[in-house]
Amino acid sequence: MLLRHTPTEIKERSALNINPAKTCQPIGAMYAGLGIKGCLPHSHGSQGCCAYHRSTLTRHYKEPVSAATSSFTEGASVFGGQANLLQAIENIFSVYEPEVIAVHTTCLSETIGDDLKQIVDKAVKEGKVPAGKEVIFASTPSYVGSHVTGFSNMVKGMVKCLAVSTGKKNGKVNIIPGWVEPADMEEIKRIAGMIGVSFTMFPDTSGVLNGPLTGEYHMFPDAGTPMEDIRSAGDAIGTLALGEWCSGDAARTMDAQCEVPCRVLDMPIGLKATDRFIDALRTVAGTSVPDAVNFERGQLIDVISDYHQYFFGKKVALVGDPDQLIALTEFLLTLDMQPIHVVTGTPGKKFESRIRELCAGKGFDVNVRAAGDMFLLHQWIKNQPVDLIMGNTYCKYIARDEDIPYVRFGFPIMDRVGHQYFPVTGYKGGIRLMEKILGVLLDRAERDAPEEKFELVY
Amino acid sequence: MALKNKSIPDVATVKEELLKKYPTKVARKRAKQIVINQVAEGDVVPEVQANVRTTPGIITMRGCTYAGCKGVILGPTRDIVNITHGPIGCGFYSWLTRRNQTKAPFDSSENFMPYAFSTDMQDEDIIFGGEKKLAAAIQEAYDTFHPKAIAIFATCPVGLIGDDIHAVARKMKDKLGINIFAFSCEGYKGVSQSAGHHIANNQIFTHVVGEDDTPKLGEYKINMLGEYNIGGDAFELERVLEKCGITLVSTFSGNSTYEHFATAHQADLNAVMCHRSINYVAEMMETKYGIPWIKVNFIGAESSAKSLRKIAQYFGDKKLIDRVEEVIAEEMPAVHAALEEVKPFTEGKTAMLFVGGSRAHHYQDLFTEMGMKTIAAGYEFAHRDDYEGRKVMPSIKVDADSRNIEEIEVEPDATRFAPRKSEADLKRLAEEGFTFKDYEGMMPQMESNTLVIDDLNQYEADKLIELLKPDVFCAGIKEKFSVQKMGVPMKQLHSYDYGGPYAGFKGAVNFYVEIKRLVTSKVWSDLKAPWEENPELSATYVWE
């Protein structure tokens, strides 16, 4: 057994986190930064963080992930990292020539209390930021929240540092997609395009972290949201924020700063959340939903009805990030599955109440934990077995030990391809999720079936 | 590719090109870290600046002290519960991401490697201190797992807020009666992973080595130092050594256990693979217990044979010397057969190697065996002795950024110090040309007019590839995909791209086959679509 020391008996722990279901803020900020065109993320801390965050994103995407670091030494850690950041800004613009540097912090610079705004102002004053270029920033202390919080903070930082209201509305809708894959960002844009909405989406990593191999390497691909678009997002007629944890703060900041009203929706994963997203798009744009969208929705319904018998009543364990899990839980319930264990490492009691609300009256009891870990999830599974696990790559240790069908979902997925190219959002994404779930459930049924029960057709 | 048509510039021009874009101060510093290798009489090579602070914003490949300590040295030991004291990231990122394989003999044997343990510090721990939470975490780990030892690793904020992790370790050790020890490996210490190696060496030596005097039986007892069993390298070495009749007391720290470290002082020879990470333990074991150390290299079939002969020569026993020759004779036919197969594809091709603190040198042996030339190489975090040889150590100055890394004083052990060789034996070995503590460094082995670059960054890597067009580029995960985007085969020499082993005889064969796969892979000829290759053919609107 890989996880041979995990006991069935559960003792509550107050201090020791075992097998985390989250990681720390800055990696989320780095991912968000990569969704701006011509942007180099910068980690203001000691260089180990930056190396770890780049490596993890690279293992997930199999793509180059460039980011710079202030490379704190012991001296800087005692006396402050201002000199390091000023040097870094100068070196980055000279050597790598980005349009914008997106600075985030680590537990080191946050504990010291470095003031990013003051340092960036100083850099501008000293002429270290070339004309027309920008340094934006966000505070991302690793000892608060999780990687999701860091993503949210950097998206909020984009609004704070860039968005301005000229007083004249531009007729566009801002879409903040949340921490979804490049393929999902593409899908969200495609859907908004089909509805006929004029929109600005930020951040947007499509084309950045799922790019082609051509024989030439460009550190800054011709993709990502242009800085200008984020600036003029302050003139939008409204903001649709997808996912409370990932996008809510940025949307509300936009409202406070530029008087752009906002609605926070769930991430459009599964039938109902996609329905609500499309309904919101239709309403804000004053358009009607084209037949092509209804056709895709009908295809999803068709697959659900075709294969309902294999989903019905199946027990599922889920682990991941709050916005994704809320939408996924709702989708599994739509399929009449039973998500009986749901864990996120990201703190937030609202998560627990939302999952409980969704599962209420569905005929089963749900174990749900925010700020939980995968050790607890595994113990829950030992006590109440499931038919399916959905979560990131680390779930494969539990899946193998307990011999449970497993679908990779969320971040990070470091051992398979697909997530960067094919969406899980929208109706198409719903079909893909069902395909993956059915694949592992039926593979298992066929593996275990006695020869006389082995079937040709399902 | 357009690149292929360009002529290859000389190294001086390349160096000039690499420096051209830098601000003056950066250019001045990098000029000392980018060296054109020249090997003079007596293996004298130019001085390279190494182990100095990283230039902010330069996009370094380097990591931190915590990674060097927890990730590298202590990570591979299966039966110690390693608790990261810090916010969640450090523990998460070092969770199963280095491929130190381990094989617990029984289902009941302890193996904590698939687990990540962290105190997951929150803002209140930063404000009020995290010592209480750390003590509680140790208690919870003990209650749940009952391990024989617990290690604690500090991360960046721990040093700043003043948590005394060593005091907590002592208190909990007294309370629980198992060995509990701590590492002050805050990420900002030193300038790279290297400081973490040193800190790990000091604490493992102080708290574990020599803890167990239960006699270790066997002939020709050695420790393998600085071998981390990436992709099963140590398994291959265990196989070869066992075949030779050599007793492996411990490996630091691939496929290791607490007990291996605790009894390591009973070996009669320390064989050092990765000089950078473990030379401190080698030196301290010699001073305290009288165990000499030699440098070995089991990367490359010829190098493996040479290293086995060196170990046999040390023990000087005919039975062992003969057995080693038999084993080499048994292993080599498969190696030669593989070389015959791959060499037509690899002969004359070029490689660049930029890897941590050891492999950029060792793997050159494998490339040489395949008839390939290393045209540029460098380390992330090695010191001058790894580049130029240990002979330059007296002239190395410790700078302000590394001054606070503790050097511990070691005395000969009152009862257990025992010189392994008599003066006469040492004299005889010296006459035979045998040297102890003899790491000659990477540069003397490289040809003159090759490039040696310390702490390579993203900009320089891209430029080097553009200008020198290597057939294979070796580095790590952060470099892999930008290199491949340029149409150049890339080999990860940290993770081995999830393959391996590459050490020993079987490892050499694996590596030859892998490099042949890379240099013959058809994908690189498919980068352009047919319509991009023949743009002049426009539509004709007819069926031919």
Side-chain angles (χ1 to χ4, degrees):
Chain A
M1 299 290 260
L2 292 160
L3 299 165
R4 60 182 66 177
H5 301 290
T6 305
T8 304
E9 188 205 339
I10 299 172
K11 282 187 207 146
E12 282 299 321
R13 285 165 283 126
S14 66
L16 187 67
N17 182 307
I18 312 173
N19 298 356
K22 64 171 176 183
T23 182
C24 66
Q25 284 210 37
I27 194 172
M30 187 180 282
Y31 180 61
L34 291 165
I36 305 176
K37 190 176 175 188
C39 177
L40 187 72
H42 180 89
S43 168
H44 186 53
S46 63
Q47 66 208 9
C49 313
C50 187
Y52 274 144
H53 301 143
R54 291 177 64 202
S55 298
T56 304
L57 288 169
T58 294
R59 290 184 182 115
H60 180 77
Y61 288 110
K62 317 299 174 197
E63 288 286 315
V65 173
S66 295
T69 160
S70 295
S71 292
F72 273 55
T73 56
E74 191 156 13
S77 306
V78 176
F79 300 112
Q82 173 171 293
N84 293 57
L85 185 50
L86 291 175
Q87 267 182 59
I89 290 171
E90 187 181 355
N91 290 336
I92 290 167
F93 281 123
S94 311
V95 179
Y96 294 104
E97 306 177 52
E99 294 303 308
V100 52
I101 301 173
V103 185
H104 59 261
T105 57
T106 67
C107 46
L108 177 56
S109 52
E110 286 294 329
T111 305
I112 296 169
D114 272 355
D115 180 349
L116 287 187
K117 185 170 186 335
Q118 174 262 319
I119 301 174
V120 170
D121 284 348
K122 192 171 162 69
V124 173
K125 214 175 288 164
E126 290 178 1
K128 292 186 191 321
V129 183
K133 307 222 168 181
E134 289 277 357
V135 178
I136 67 169
F137 52 87
S139 192
T140 53
S142 313
Y143 43 77
V144 175
S146 75
H147 56 296
V148 178
T149 322
F151 179 91
S152 164
N153 281 339
M154 183 49 83
V155 180
K156 189 168 72 180
M158 292 174 197
V159 173
K160 279 167 90 171
C161 297
L162 293 172
V164 282
S165 159
T166 61
K168 192 166 170 268
K169 292 288 177 193
N170 62 14
K172 288 186 177 177
V173 175
N174 297 324
I175 299 176
I176 306 180
W179 186 332
V180 288
E181 300 292 344
D184 293 308
M185 298 202 184
E186 241 163 61
E187 179 66 5
I188 289 165
K189 285 193 288 185
R190 190 183 70 91
I191 292 171
M194 286 171 91
I195 305 295
V197 180
S198 175
F199 65 93
T200 301
M201 192 173 87
F202 67 92
D204 179 5
T205 57
S206 63
V208 180
L209 289 167
N210 58 354
L213 197 156
T214 61
E216 283 172 28
Y217 167 56
H218 299 289
M219 185 178 283
F220 306 109
D222 190 16
T225 313
M227 230 185 345
E228 275 315 303
D229 291 8
I230 304 177
R231 263 197 201 111
S232 63
D235 286 333
I237 53 171
T239 302
L240 288 179
L242 308 184
E244 170 60 43
W245 271 260
C246 287
S247 310
D249 275 359
R252 284 185 288 267
T253 303
M254 184 71 93
D255 189 0
Q257 185 173 311
C258 302
E259 293 182 1
V260 177
C262 68
R263 277 179 68 184
V264 181
L265 303 172
D266 289 321
M267 275 184 180
I269 295 170
L271 178 71
K272 288 179 182 160
T274 303
D275 282 351
R276 292 193 295 272
F277 174 54
I278 288 173
D279 209 33
L281 285 172
R282 171 187 73 104
T283 316
V284 296
T287 57
S288 55
V289 177
D291 286 346
V293 171
N294 292 326
F295 188 87
E296 285 179 12
R297 184 179 190 277
Q299 286 177 320
L300 174 63
I301 300 285
D302 192 62
V303 178
I304 298 175
S305 84
D306 290 346
Y307 281 91
H308 181 261
Q309 61 180 315
Y310 306 108
F311 295 115
F312 178 78
K314 292 285 189 297
K315 293 182 166 52
V316 193
L318 302 177
V319 57
D321 301 335
D323 292 328
Q324 284 88 340
L325 288 188
I326 287 167
L328 182 63
T329 297
E330 189 186 34
F331 186 41
L332 298 181
L333 292 167
T334 306
L335 303 176
D336 287 320
M337 299 181 88
Q338 300 185 350
I340 61 168
H341 308 307
V342 186
V343 168
T344 184
T346 299
K349 285 285 165 199
K350 274 181 300 184
F351 174 79
E352 295 181 1
S353 53
R354 186 74 203 283
I355 296 291
R356 281 203 189 91
E357 269 165 38
L358 285 168
C359 296
K362 296 290 194 292
F364 64 94
D365 290 326
V366 61
N367 291 313
V368 55
R369 183 73 60 92
D373 58 30
M374 286 175 60
F375 190 77
L376 174 68
L377 180 81
H378 191 179
Q379 291 183 305
W380 279 350
I381 290 170
K382 281 178 180 290
N383 284 287
Q384 269 179 280
V386 292
D387 303 298
L388 176 70
I389 301 177
M390 295 180 79
N392 69 22
T393 281
Y394 285 100
C395 290
K396 74 175 166 187
Y397 289 78
I398 302 174
R400 177 172 146 138
D401 274 0
E402 307 298 333
D403 198 19
I404 300 168
Y406 154 50
V407 168
R408 286 167 179 80
F409 178 88
F411 177 85
I413 296 170
M414 303 186 282
D415 58 341
R416 291 294 188 275
V417 69
H419 47 283
Q420 57 279 69
Y421 303 110
F422 304 105
V424 296
T425 45
Y427 301 125
K428 293 243 183 233
I431 293 175
R432 177 166 172 250
L433 276 174
M434 283 194 293
E435 181 199 5
K436 287 172 88 85
I437 293 169
L438 272 170
V440 297
L441 292 180
L442 295 180
D443 280 351
R444 170 55 49 87
E446 293 182 327
R447 190 197 80 180
D448 293 347
E451 289 188 1
E452 68 279 13
K453 296 278 185 190
F454 194 75
E455 297 281 347
L456 177 70
V457 181
Y458 283 109
Chain B
M1 279 185 311
L3 286 180
K4 291 270 182 212
N5 301 324
K6 279 201 259 171
S7 66
I8 293 192
D10 68 27
V11 275
T13 316
V14 173
K15 178 169 176 178
E16 211 173 289
E17 278 288 318
L18 293 181
L19 296 173
K20 216 159 68 182
K21 207 175 181 189
Y22 288 135
T24 323
K25 258 174 74 180
V26 177
R28 209 180 301 137
K29 182 176 170 205
R30 291 303 298 156
K32 295 181 205 157
Q33 293 177 275
I34 302 173
V35 171
I36 296 167
N37 193 35
Q38 301 292 346
V39 189
E41 198 68 24
D43 282 351
V44 174
V45 290
E47 179 174 332
V48 55
Q49 191 178 72
N51 191 33
V52 293
R53 67 168 64 172
T54 314
T55 303
I58 207 70
I59 314 196
T60 178
M61 293 156 67
R62 284 175 170 176
C64 68
T65 309
Y66 166 85
C69 182
K70 193 269 183 182
V72 173
I73 311 277
L74 270 298
T77 307
R78 76 173 85 96
D79 56 358
I80 300 176
V81 166
N82 289 328
I83 301 177
T84 299
H85 186 40
I88 202 68
C90 311
F92 178 85
Y93 303 114
S94 56
W95 179 19
L96 289 166
T97 46
R98 284 177 62 82
R99 297 179 60 232
N100 332 101
Q101 299 181 355
T102 200
K103 193 171 178 184
F106 310 106
D107 283 350
S108 56
S109 310
E110 289 167 297
N111 180 11
F112 298 110
M113 302 248 300
Y115 294 90
F117 304 98
S118 172
T119 55
D120 188 12
M121 290 176 92
Q122 300 297 305
D123 42 2
E124 64 266 22
D125 304 316
I126 300 294
I127 297 164
F128 303 111
E131 290 179 14
K132 271 196 188 131
K133 191 174 193 184
L134 176 59
I138 293 168
Q139 184 70 51
E140 288 173 6
Y142 179 80
D143 293 344
T144 311
F145 304 106
H146 298 284
K148 52 175 69 83
I150 295 176
I152 301 149
F153 300 86
T155 60
C156 287
V158 170
L160 298 177
I161 63 173
D163 273 2
D164 188 344
I165 57 172
H166 303 283
V168 175
R170 277 193 301 274
K171 190 185 89 185
M172 295 308 286
K173 181 179 178 177
D174 290 345
K175 181 177 176 197
L176 301 174
I178 60 167
N179 200 355
I180 300 178
F181 43 96
F183 298 82
S184 290
C185 53
E186 285 86 349
Y188 54 74
K189 290 196 168 160
V191 297
S192 67
Q193 290 94 313
S194 179
H197 301 152
H198 198 160
I199 291 163
N201 277 235
N202 288 350
Q203 297 298 84
I204 271 292
F205 186 78
T206 306
H207 294 281
V208 188
V209 173
E211 286 292 298
D212 185 350
D213 281 324
T214 316
K216 289 293 269 191
L217 304 176
E219 284 184 302
Y220 320 120
K221 288 184 283 188
I222 71 164
N223 297 316
M224 187 66 69
L225 303 188
E227 162 50 60
Y228 302 100
N229 202 21
I230 305 294
D233 279 352
F235 293 149
E236 165 68 359
L237 301 191
E238 287 167 13
R239 179 187 75 84
V240 173
L241 293 172
E242 193 187 327
K243 214 170 152 185
C244 293
I246 296 166
T247 304
L248 190 58
V249 178
S250 73
T251 298
F252 281 61
S253 47
N255 196 29
S256 64
T257 62
Y258 180 85
E259 184 241 342
H260 291 160
F261 295 151
T263 55
H265 63 298
Q266 299 183 42
D268 293 319
L269 176 68
N270 279 324
V272 173
M273 274 282 283
C274 172
H275 175 260
R276 181 68 271 133
S277 64
I278 210 80
N279 76 87
Y280 316 98
V281 156
E283 292 280 297
M284 292 186 286
M285 279 170 89
E286 177 153 21
T287 308
K288 186 164 180 181
Y289 300 108
I291 309 171
W293 71 266
I294 56 169
K295 180 71 181 69
V296 293
N297 177 22
F298 283 94
I299 303 297
E302 294 295 340
S303 321
S304 299
K306 205 170 135 188
S307 294
L308 286 176
R309 289 188 176 116
K310 201 166 166 183
I311 293 168
Q313 191 188 358
Y314 167 81
F315 285 104
D317 191 335
K318 180 146 190 325
K319 188 179 82 179
L320 179 62
I321 292 169
D322 290 347
R323 182 61 194 147
V324 159
E325 290 306 327
E326 276 167 34
V327 169
I328 293 169
E330 277 172 36
E331 298 287 334
M332 281 312 236
V335 171
H336 290 138
L339 272 178
E340 202 172 314
E341 171 84 27
V342 307
K343 244 182 149 170
F345 301 94
T346 55
E347 188 93 59
K349 291 214 158 33
T350 58
M352 291 184 179
L353 292 83
F354 293 93
V355 204
S358 151
R359 292 192 175 103
H361 178 198
H362 289 159
Y363 275 75
Q364 293 189 25
D365 290 0
L366 275 167
F367 283 115
T368 305
E369 288 172 7
M370 280 182 278
M372 290 177 67
K373 182 181 164 180
T374 302
I375 53 174
Y379 297 120
E380 283 171 57
F381 50 73
H383 300 194
R384 277 185 60 207
D385 39 325
D386 305 291
Y387 284 104
E388 302 167 45
R390 281 179 70 93
K391 58 182 177 291
V392 303
M393 283 178 81
S395 64
I396 296 177
K397 290 184 227 43
V398 178
D399 73 9
D401 293 323
S402 299
R403 198 174 296 142
N404 289 343
I405 310 304
E406 192 192 13
E407 292 279 353
I408 57 175
E409 292 296 326
V410 179
E411 299 285 327
D413 191 276
T415 55
R416 296 178 294 178
F417 179 88
R420 277 15 186 214
K421 291 277 166 196
S422 66
E423 286 298 323
D425 282 345
L426 289 175
K427 197 165 161 251
R428 182 180 47 77
L429 281 168
E431 278 162 8
E432 288 171 18
F434 194 96
T435 48
F436 292 99
K437 308 181 174 197
D438 62 343
Y439 186 40
E440 78 283 9
M442 176 176 87
M443 291 166 77
Q445 195 187 327
M446 289 180 73
E447 287 181 24
S448 287
N449 293 314
T450 50
L451 280 164
V452 172
I453 307 180
D454 182 61
D455 188 16
L456 185 84
N457 58 53
Q458 173 81 52
Y459 168 73
E460 290 165 8
D462 295 351
K463 266 280 177 228
L464 272 183
I465 291 168
E466 184 192 315
L467 296 169
L468 292 175
K469 306 159 220 156
D471 294 298
V472 180
F473 188 94
C474 302
I477 185 76
K478 300 192 295 299
E479 296 73 41
K480 182 173 178 82
F481 298 99
S482 59
V483 173
Q484 290 189 168
K485 293 273 187 208
M486 297 169 90
V488 173
M490 199 286 178
K491 181 68 204 164
Q492 292 188 62
L493 283 190
H494 296 276
S495 73
Y496 301 170
D497 293 300
Y498 326 108
Y502 294 148
F505 300 101
K506 295 205 163 146
V509 171
N510 289 340
F511 194 74
Y512 303 152
V513 172
E514 172 66 358
I515 295 302
K516 182 196 162 193
R517 177 187 74 77
L518 280 174
V519 298
T520 59
S521 166
K522 289 182 207 64
V523 64
W524 310 113
S525 57
D526 289 335
L527 305 190
K528 290 274 175 270
W531 50 90
E532 288 175 301
E533 281 168 354
N534 297 303
E536 70 279 8
L537 291 179
S538 54
T540 55
Y541 301 104
V542 287
W543 291 100
E544 296 289 347

